[in-house]
Amino acid sequence: MAGIECVQGHKVQIHERGGGRKLFTLNDLTQVAYTRPRSATGDSTVVLQGRSCLAQGETIDKVAKGAKRFEMVVFRGEERAFEGPIEQVETGRDSAIIIAKDVTQYLNGTPLSVDWPIETGEQKDSLDPTSPWLMTERARTIIEYELQTSYQARIRTGGAATVVTIPRWEEVTPPIDVLLHLDIRRSDTLYTRSDTLAFQMQLGEHLDNLADSGLDYAVIGRRIVIWDSAEPLGVTRRLTDADFDGELTVIAAGSEHASVAHVSAERPEDSTSPGPGVIPGVGNAGGEDSFTGVWTWIASLTQEEGSDQPTQDALNSQASRMLSGVAPVPNTIKVPDGATLKLGHGLGINDLIPGSIMPVTTSLNIRKVSQDQRLEKVAVTETAQGETIAITLTSAGDISAVIA
């Protein structure tokens, strides 16, 4: 039984790869921490110290020997809040630190084993073999293939070279059991012209490249959710001042305002202007704001790997994205650093999915306002002193006054 100097609200188990079979339970934890970021790999850190750590020395040694094979499963109450492969075990005289990554780490250890050209996906126009993929369906097709289709490699180990078959994560024993929980929300409006070669990159790296171009992903326990960032993933219940242990602030962020945007790409060899106001390789959006003027942003193009020279329409579209939410001067409700979200009353740990919309209302501010906000990251830490749930939010809609 855990002492009063230990973590009370979380428990940690070590499971076999795939998360199904429990191997050990870690007791008397000094600290449990885990993160859920949007479009990045989350992690978890567990700390054991003192006599309880020494008493579990044999178990900790087995966990260390099982790094990259075993998984750490973190429960908040009865809910599985985090799980994924153990990356590192660090031990001292009377302490141990165990670090794990969420299940997207398996994608970071999976190569693209075949070419994935533009023309082999679900296309915008089936009559045009060079039409772009739907980005969500490209992600689905590649993940499903690369996690369960073995490939061959000719390997020389001293003597003659031999052909070795490399199984994939869902073919090994035990499998990682990720495909069963894959949750991809189809989008019929988000396209990609990505064109990748075999062994050019890891599957996780390609997913990150797609995330730079409009795709989002998040991990809840064993479930990988992938969706179009322009579409709402879900909405939590409304949050108020009472849901935070800290003071909400309202900010008019002039530093984030612009009314004109230009995107600069690599200039094409034939850079003759087709007409007034058009510079090849430069996208444009916006215009004069009659109140604030012509504050202007310039950015370099975020271009997908293997893609062609972008069209003028594509450049203009990218410039328009830059102005989303920044004109007029954006106002936002800010959760201050160190403020803790209080769970309960219809809001549990697994309702906190990065990418979800969280409506927030503050009535204890000079400016009594409401605003939809997008959850970007969750960071949970528990020690003997208690639990903190820090969240990072970004504005996802206009601010409006609260009607008394």
Side-chain angles (χ1 to χ4, degrees):
M1 180 175 180
I4 60 172
E5 73 280 4
C6 299
V7 165
Q8 300 292 306
H10 286 83
K11 63 182 178 182
V12 175
Q13 297 175 352
I14 306 302
H15 284 220
E16 177 61 280
R17 180 176 58 223
R21 185 166 71 94
K22 184 181 75 171
L23 302 175
F24 317 108
T25 298
L26 299 178
N27 299 310
D28 300 342
L29 308 172
T30 303
Q31 177 179 293
V32 176
Y34 51 95
T35 64
R36 288 180 187 168
R38 180 174 65 89
S39 297
T41 298
D43 55 37
S44 178
T45 300
V46 171
V47 179
L48 301 93
Q49 290 180 326
R51 287 177 297 176
S52 67
C53 180
L54 294 173
Q56 298 177 84
E58 184 177 345
T59 297
I60 293 169
D61 183 58
K62 291 178 181 178
V63 173
K65 291 176 180 177
K68 302 296 281 190
R69 165 66 182 242
F70 298 160
E71 294 188 1
M72 187 154 69
V73 179
V74 179
F75 291 82
R76 184 182 186 273
E78 298 303 314
E79 292 186 277
R80 289 173 77 134
F82 177 95
E83 53 191 288
I86 293 172
E87 286 288 300
Q88 180 174 308
V89 179
E90 177 183 337
T91 57
R93 290 183 179 179
D94 63 350
S95 65
I97 301 173
I98 305 172
I99 299 172
K101 300 289 187 179
D102 71 32
V103 294
T104 57
Q105 188 71 348
Y106 289 117
L107 308 189
N108 295 330
T110 299
L112 299 182
S113 63
V114 297
D115 294 350
W116 291 101
I118 296 171
E119 64 269 17
T120 58
E122 184 168 346
Q123 298 160 359
K124 180 179 180 182
D125 180 356
S126 60
L127 300 179
D128 180 1
T130 63
S131 290
W133 290 56
L134 293 175
M135 195 180 292
T136 52
E137 301 317 295
R138 179 180 175 91
R140 184 196 311 277
T141 300
I142 294 178
I143 291 172
E144 290 179 348
Y145 179 90
E146 297 291 2
L147 287 184
Q148 60 184 338
T149 308
S150 60
Y151 62 90
Q152 293 185 324
R154 183 175 294 275
I155 298 175
R156 181 182 297 276
T157 56
T162 58
V163 175
V164 175
T165 298
I166 310 294
R168 311 314 290 275
W169 283 119
E170 296 289 5
E171 296 180 304
V172 298
T173 303
I176 60 172
D177 192 29
V178 163
L179 286 182
L180 182 64
H181 305 280
L182 190 62
D183 182 0
I184 299 180
R185 315 293 175 87
R186 178 188 173 99
S187 170
D188 291 316
T189 60
L190 180 63
Y191 300 105
T192 176
R193 294 187 63 83
S194 292
D195 191 345
T196 57
L197 300 175
F199 302 100
Q200 181 181 5
M201 65 185 68
Q202 302 277 36
L203 173 54
E205 184 181 355
H206 185 48
L207 183 60
D208 286 339
N209 289 336
L210 296 178
D212 288 338
S213 302
L215 203 69
D216 267 342
Y217 67 89
V219 179
I220 307 299
R222 201 156 207 89
R223 181 164 60 109
I224 302 176
V225 189
I226 299 175
W227 74 99
D228 180 350
S229 61
E231 299 177 358
L233 180 62
V235 181
T236 69
R237 69 161 174 81
R238 181 167 296 279
L239 305 180
T240 68
D241 301 271
D243 291 303
F244 297 92
D245 181 14
E247 181 180 339
L248 300 180
T249 57
V250 181
I251 301 173
S255 62
E256 299 178 8
H257 167 68
S259 60
V260 182
H262 302 290
V263 170
S264 180
E266 183 177 349
R267 300 295 193 272
E269 293 182 4
D270 180 12
S271 58
T272 304
S273 174
V278 178
I279 299 176
V282 177
N284 315 293
E288 178 189 4
D289 184 301
S290 60
F291 184 70
T292 60
V294 286
W295 297 102
T296 302
W297 283 352
I298 296 178
S300 298
L301 175 68
T302 300
Q303 192 168 353
E304 297 177 50
E305 78 284 348
S307 60
D308 298 330
Q309 177 67 29
T311 65
Q312 187 65 44
D313 285 344
L315 289 168
N316 290 348
S317 175
Q318 185 113 353
S320 294
R321 279 178 173 259
M322 291 172 58
L323 294 180
S324 176
V326 303
V329 172
N331 286 262
T332 188
I333 299 173
K334 185 177 187 300
V335 180
D337 295 339
T340 299
L341 179 66
K342 303 174 185 177
L343 297 185
H345 305 293
L347 188 68
I349 189 66
N350 287 339
D351 294 317
L352 302 182
I353 305 175
S356 295
I357 300 300
M358 306 187 83
V360 181
T361 295
T362 174
S363 300
L364 301 180
N365 193 280
I366 293 173
R367 302 171 67 195
K368 297 174 174 56
V369 295
S370 292
Q371 185 178 44
D372 284 349
Q373 302 231 324
R374 179 176 288 106
L375 180 61
E376 298 288 338
K377 183 178 181 180
V378 181
V380 181
T381 302
E382 187 185 0
T383 66
Q385 285 68 49
E387 179 189 53
T388 62
I389 302 176
I391 61 173
T392 302
L393 299 171
T394 56
S395 60
D398 294 334
I399 205 163
S400 60
V402 173
I403 300 175

